[in-house]
Amino acid sequence: QPQLVESGGGLVQSGGSLRLSCTLPGRSLDYYAIAWFRQAPGKEREGISCIEPRGVGTLYADSVKGRFTVSGDNANNMVYLQMNDLRPEDTGLYYCVARWGTYAPVCTLNKGRFNSWGQGTQVTVSS
C-alpha cells in the first residue's frame, strides 16, 4: 500500500501549538480512516487520534484528548492534527497512516491494524 506523507513538525516550547499535515500523493483519502501515531525514543508506537472519511467519526487517546484535534480537508486531500498545549511528553516522531482493506473506513488506534508507515515528522517540545 502507498505511504502517506507527513509535515509540520518542529521545535516548540511547552504550552505552544503545532499543526501537522498529512496527504497521500496521487490518491484520494476520501475512503480511508486516517490515524495519527507517535513514537518517543525507547517507547512503543502509540495511537493518538483517528478520523473516519468525511469526519463522521473521530477517536482520541486519553493522553491527548482536549488538547489535540484531528480534521479533514477533502477539497485539498489533507488531514490535519492541531496540537495545542504541548508538553515535553508529547515529544516524538509523528506518523499518519491509512487503514486499508475491508475495514478501511473504520477508526482504530491499534497499530497492528495498519501498515505502510511513512517517514514521520519530528515534534520536539522543550520545557
Side-chain angles (χ1 to χ4, degrees):
Q1 291 90 354
Q3 295 175 349
L4 280 68
V5 178
E6 309 91 344
S7 62
L11 173 64
V12 64
Q13 289 189 330
S14 183
S17 297
L18 282 173
R19 188 179 78 160
L20 304 184
S21 301
C22 170
T23 192
L24 180 59
R27 191 165 176 173
S28 173
L29 291 175
D30 284 356
Y31 308 106
Y32 310 104
I34 306 297
W36 287 94
F37 286 76
R38 68 185 179 190
Q39 189 165 18
K43 293 192 175 181
E44 292 283 323
R45 191 168 294 183
E46 173 193 16
I48 56 172
S49 185
C50 184
I51 185 167
E52 295 179 341
R54 305 197 177 275
V56 296
T58 56
L59 279 180
Y60 295 95
D62 288 343
S63 57
V64 305
K65 203 172 291 183
R67 300 188 298 124
F68 290 12
T69 303
V70 63
S71 62
D73 179 352
N74 292 330
N76 293 299
N77 203 38
M78 300 289 289
V79 169
Y80 302 105
L81 185 68
Q82 177 67 42
M83 306 186 296
N84 298 329
D85 188 25
L86 282 161
R87 305 165 181 170
E89 55 264 37
D90 294 317
T91 294
L93 194 57
Y94 282 67
Y95 302 88
C96 66
V97 60
R99 190 174 188 186
W100 309 107
T102 303
Y103 297 98
V106 180
C107 262
T108 178
L109 297 182
N110 181 343
K111 64 180 181 292
R113 304 297 183 192
F114 297 90
N115 54 25
S116 194
W117 300 88
Q119 298 298 309
T121 185
Q122 179 67 37
V123 172
T124 303
V125 184
S126 63
S127 57

